[in-house]
Amino acid sequence: KPLSYGVSMVGEQEVMVLLNADKKSTSKFILPSGKWTILANGTHADTEGLGRVEDVVEVVPRSGLVLVK
């Protein structure tokens, strides 16, 4: 989708930032293999993590996720 964007950064850990600027539609992102910890979503952030995802993740409208592996 043109209003969705994802970027991955690799250092000591792999960090992925996913953004969805669409006003109405949820965006699906296919993740690289492995289990990812959600560090932040559109309303909350926690260095201990908000949950885990793998394979595919959805980002609700006008929101984003920060993931770490």
Side-chain angles (χ1 to χ4, degrees):
K1 291 184 173 183
L3 296 175
S4 298
Y5 181 75
V7 62
S8 177
M9 299 158 278
V10 180
E12 290 182 24
Q13 295 179 305
E14 188 170 0
V15 177
M16 185 168 292
V17 178
L18 306 173
L19 301 172
N20 179 10
D22 194 284
K23 293 179 182 180
K24 297 179 182 177
S25 298
T26 296
S27 292
K28 289 185 181 181
F29 292 87
I30 297 171
L31 301 173
S33 64
K35 293 185 180 184
W36 292 82
T37 300
I38 302 169
L39 296 180
N41 61 27
T43 57
H44 297 89
D46 187 335
T47 57
E48 298 295 318
L50 301 170
R52 308 268 318 243
V53 293
E54 55 186 308
D55 301 324
V56 176
V57 67
E58 292 186 354
V59 179
V60 298
R62 290 187 170 176
S63 189
L65 292 175
V66 177
L67 310 173
V68 66
K69 179 170 74 167

